[in-house]
Amino acid sequence: MPTTEVNTTELNATQSLNVIDDLSMNLEGTVQTLLVPVYEKFPFLHNTFLDIPLANLFAAIVVFLLFLLFRKLFTLIVIGTLQKISKVTETYYDDKVISALKGPIRFAFILIGAHLFFLLIFKETEFIKNVLNTLVVYTVFWAIISVMESLRSVFHHATEKFNPDLAKEMGNFILKIAKILVGAVGLGAMLQVWGINVTALVASLGLGGLAFALAAKDTASNMFGSFALLADKSIRIGEWIKVGGVEGTVEDIGMRTTKIRSFEKALITVPNQIVSNSPIENFSRRGVRRIKMQIGLTYGTSRDQVDAIVKEIRAMLHGHEKISQKETLLVNFESFGDSSLNIFIYTFTDTSNWERYLNIREDIHLKIMKIVEENGASFAFPSRSIYIEQTPDKNVL
């Protein structure tokens, strides 16, 4: 019975990916055909420069420059026309997609021109072809990722159906995962251009899987931290928080880190595992903001004056339209200080906005000053009195 010998090496071989030849549409053959009568009419063009026939060198330069011109004309005419048409439509997604594709399409013209240039000068080696094919694959996945980025609001609308409060954060998170997956596929395609067996490469990574897992332990912790932040709804983009000694406004909640813009305008990047495992002070969600102060009156203030001042301050705060009447409101003669009679004031504004809070606090201060002045009292300041019981006899010296 005849046996068939199978070449396992051929089965395991990976075929290189070649896409640049299809993009040129055999233009180099057409150009080379047109050069035949040129060589016949001008024999001196058979001369070579760096082993390149002069006619082919000139033709290669002209073709490359023509593709640069086509690139500019395509941008001005085709892309410009599409952008004008897209402005007439009701949706704005088409505007964003066209703008996103503008860069990759312009770069594709350069790649095709470079491919024809090397073909016409007979210098397109296997290495150069692989480089060009890699750049073509890169351009394709660049276009895909750019389109995904331009449709970011689509991800926000999709996640809004599941959780309106965290639509933006979840949409950004899903978009990042999708972009990573697309990027991984693109990397695999670029490796295939060079004849690398991606399946075998991934399988071989299993040998170092333990080492990789240990190295990626912190990354995994940060990813799970981001899941916890989204699930707990503890912070959102745009909120003012303080966590791990860092205070500022949340700018982005990523897969690995959370970016916080401090009030000094510095961008602070905090790993998500630290954010998720640390106490978070979310100032944006408190709704009110506390005013806590102690004012001191001089010891020359009478009992009736202190009583009147306390009552008038309390009445002023109860009647103030910017003071929250639902929260604790305390005004009391608290203590006899070293150099003052201390009145304790504790209340809350009806806003957590810092600027409005400062304006309300300023108004409260001015009203307290007016109450103290109208009652004939004055504020104390740190002082010390020295009492001399007996002066020394002038003869004792």
Side-chain angles (χ1 to χ4, degrees), residues 24-39 55-64 66-67 70 112-113 115-117 119-122:
S24 64
M25 296 176 291
N26 199 30
L27 286 175
E28 72 281 1
T30 305
V31 175
Q32 197 64 46
T33 303
L34 295 174
L35 288 176
V36 173
V38 175
Y39 277 115
N56 276 66
L57 180 60
F58 293 147
I61 295 173
V62 170
V63 168
F64 184 73
L66 280 175
F67 267 88
F70 292 154
I112 298 172
H115 173 54
L116 293 173
F117 177 84
L119 284 175
L120 290 172
I121 64 174
F122 311 113

Side-chain angles (χ1 to χ4, degrees), residues 166-340:
L166 291 173
K168 189 174 182 180
E169 289 82 356
M170 292 181 65
N172 291 342
F173 190 80
I174 293 172
L175 177 60
K176 286 180 181 178
I177 294 176
K179 287 165 66 176
I180 289 174
L181 293 176
V182 172
V185 174
L187 178 61
M190 285 187 280
L191 291 175
Q192 190 175 345
V193 167
W194 296 88
I196 298 174
N197 192 326
V198 180
T199 305
L201 180 64
V202 173
S204 66
L205 291 177
L207 299 175
L210 179 59
F212 178 79
L214 292 174
K217 177 173 65 69
D218 290 339
T219 301
S221 300
N222 289 325
M223 287 187 65
F224 283 111
S226 64
F227 291 143
L229 290 174
L230 292 174
D232 294 342
K233 306 178 186 178
S234 51
I235 61 174
R236 294 176 61 185
I237 294 175
E239 290 186 331
W240 168 23
I241 68 168
K242 183 178 181 181
V243 56
V246 177
E247 183 176 357
T249 304
V250 180
E251 283 204 352
D252 181 57
I253 304 173
M255 295 181 61
R256 196 181 68 83
T257 60
T258 295
K259 294 180 175 60
I260 300 174
R261 179 74 63 180
S262 71
F263 296 120
E264 291 80 17
K265 298 305 178 183
L267 184 63
I268 304 172
T269 302
V270 185
N272 283 335
Q273 62 170 328
I274 294 178
V275 179
S276 61
N277 293 324
S278 301
I280 300 174
E281 293 183 64
N282 195 323
F283 301 108
S284 296
R285 298 189 186 180
R286 59 188 176 184
V288 297
R289 190 161 182 172
R290 186 181 66 176
I291 294 178
K292 180 182 178 182
M293 69 177 78
Q294 188 181 71
I295 63 172
L297 304 176
T298 60
Y299 265 97
T301 309
S302 67
R303 174 186 176 282
D304 293 336
Q305 285 176 311
V306 172
D307 185 53
I309 290 171
V310 169
K311 289 180 179 178
E312 289 183 25
I313 292 176
R314 188 182 297 128
M316 180 270 294
L317 293 175
H318 276 298
H320 201 290
E321 60 179 6
K322 298 298 183 181
I323 294 297
S324 177
Q325 304 301 322
K326 297 179 181 179
E327 306 296 333
T328 304
L329 196 158
L330 301 172
V331 181
N332 295 94
F333 174 33
E334 181 188 33
S335 62
F336 295 93
D338 292 337
S339 57
S340 63

Side-chain angles (χ1 to χ4, degrees), residues 48-53 121-123:
T48 61
F49 176 74
L50 299 177
D51 297 328
I52 305 169
I121 64 174
F122 311 113
K123 295 294 183 179

